[in-house]
């Protein structure tokens, strides 16, 4: 009986150690430098566009599949958009999304990784300084960037997200965002 109990304890301890090495969970937050690409024309009036500075924050996990390859799914709240102006008026189009990027991470060194992957986003909020012209509730993007582990738990990331879907059914605009993040893995 003692041998079976000892074997079970060793098996559980080994399994927990292996799982801890294969899966890490953490949090991250950072700044967005967002803009919208495409035709900035509303109701036949042309506008110039400027980017906005906003934020993102959420949960992150890293699933180690090979020594130099991991998958990093995330669940983030991210604000994106742009500021539009002409000679008469100026307004901000700020959209809040629940973003789900799934990044493939290729480690170039022990601490530096190249990251690329798709991102699905769902519209949660729209700060209406103007009629958003029927914003779409789903946004799809491709992300690419770099990650750097400062310590085993602390990391920083830089990423560019290129929107592939239009943000409105009445305008030819797509989200574009550069993100700088810092985070901690448990």
């Amino acid at each position: 009986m003692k041998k079976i109990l000892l074997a079970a304890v060793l098996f559980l301890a080994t399994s927990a150690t292996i799982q801890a090495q294969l899966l890490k969970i953490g949090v991250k937050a950072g700044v967005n430098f967002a803009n919208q690409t495409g035709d900035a024309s509303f109701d036949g009036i042309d506008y110039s566009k400027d980017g906005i500075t906003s934020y993102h924050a959420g949960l992150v996990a890293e699933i180690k599949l090979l020594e130099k390859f991991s998958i990093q799914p995330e669940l983030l709240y991210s604000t994106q958009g742009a500021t539009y102006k002409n000679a008469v008026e100026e307004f901000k189009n700020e959209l809040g999304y629940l973003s789900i990027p799934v990044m493939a991470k290729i480690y170039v060194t022990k601490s530096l990784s190249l990251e690329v992957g798709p991102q699905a986003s769902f519209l949660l909020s729209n700060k209406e300084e103007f009629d958003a012209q029927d914003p779409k509730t789903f946004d799809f993007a491709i992300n690419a960037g770099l990650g750097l582990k400062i310590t085993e738990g602390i990391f920083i990331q830089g990423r560019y997200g290129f929107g592939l879907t239009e943000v409105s059914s009445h305008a030819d605009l797509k989200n574009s965002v550069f993100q700088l993040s810092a985070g901690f893995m448990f």
Side-chain angles (χ1 to χ4, degrees):
M1 180 70 171
K2 288 180 184 179
K3 289 180 182 179
I4 293 173
L5 188 58
L6 181 61
V9 168
L10 286 175
F11 176 75
L12 289 174
T14 305
S15 296
T17 303
I18 290 171
Q19 282 186 331
Q21 292 174 353
L22 297 179
L23 173 67
K24 292 186 178 184
I25 297 173
V27 293
K28 72 182 251 184
V31 63
N32 287 349
F33 300 100
N35 207 338
Q36 293 179 326
T37 61
D39 181 26
S41 176
F42 300 100
D43 296 327
I45 301 170
D46 290 329
Y47 289 84
S48 64
K49 291 182 294 208
D50 287 325
I52 62 171
T53 303
S54 58
Y55 65 95
H56 63 277
L59 303 173
V60 60
E62 184 172 350
I63 304 162
K64 189 172 187 172
L65 300 177
L66 299 171
E67 185 175 335
K68 295 191 178 266
F69 182 76
S70 297
I71 299 293
Q72 181 171 301
E74 301 175 6
L75 184 63
L76 306 173
Y77 180 79
S78 178
T79 55
Q80 300 174 33
T83 299
Y84 294 87
K85 42 185 150 171
N86 65 13
V88 179
E89 65 180 327
E90 178 177 336
F91 57 86
K92 184 189 272 187
N93 182 16
E94 188 174 311
L95 305 168
Y97 290 98
L98 176 65
S99 297
I100 307 169
V102 179
M103 306 299 289
K105 294 178 72 169
I106 301 165
Y107 282 92
V108 180
T109 67
K110 190 174 180 176
S111 58
L112 180 68
S113 62
L114 299 172
E115 303 174 359
V116 64
Q119 174 177 293
S121 299
F122 302 92
L123 184 65
L124 296 179
S125 67
N126 177 20
K127 290 190 178 175
E128 294 187 28
E129 289 186 14
F130 78 112
D131 178 13
Q133 309 246 345
D134 189 26
K136 291 186 178 177
T137 58
F138 179 76
D139 186 53
F140 187 76
I142 295 293
N143 296 329
L146 296 172
L148 180 65
K149 287 184 181 179
I150 309 265
T151 67
E152 195 57 38
I154 299 171
F155 65 91
I156 57 174
Q157 294 174 322
R159 178 183 298 171
Y160 179 75
F162 179 74
L164 299 175
T165 56
E166 295 176 347
V167 297
S168 170
S169 51
H170 300 291
D172 181 27
L173 296 170
K174 297 175 182 172
N175 283 318
S176 167
V177 63
F178 180 71
Q179 296 179 327
L180 294 175
S181 309
F184 184 78
M185 290 289 207
F186 302 102

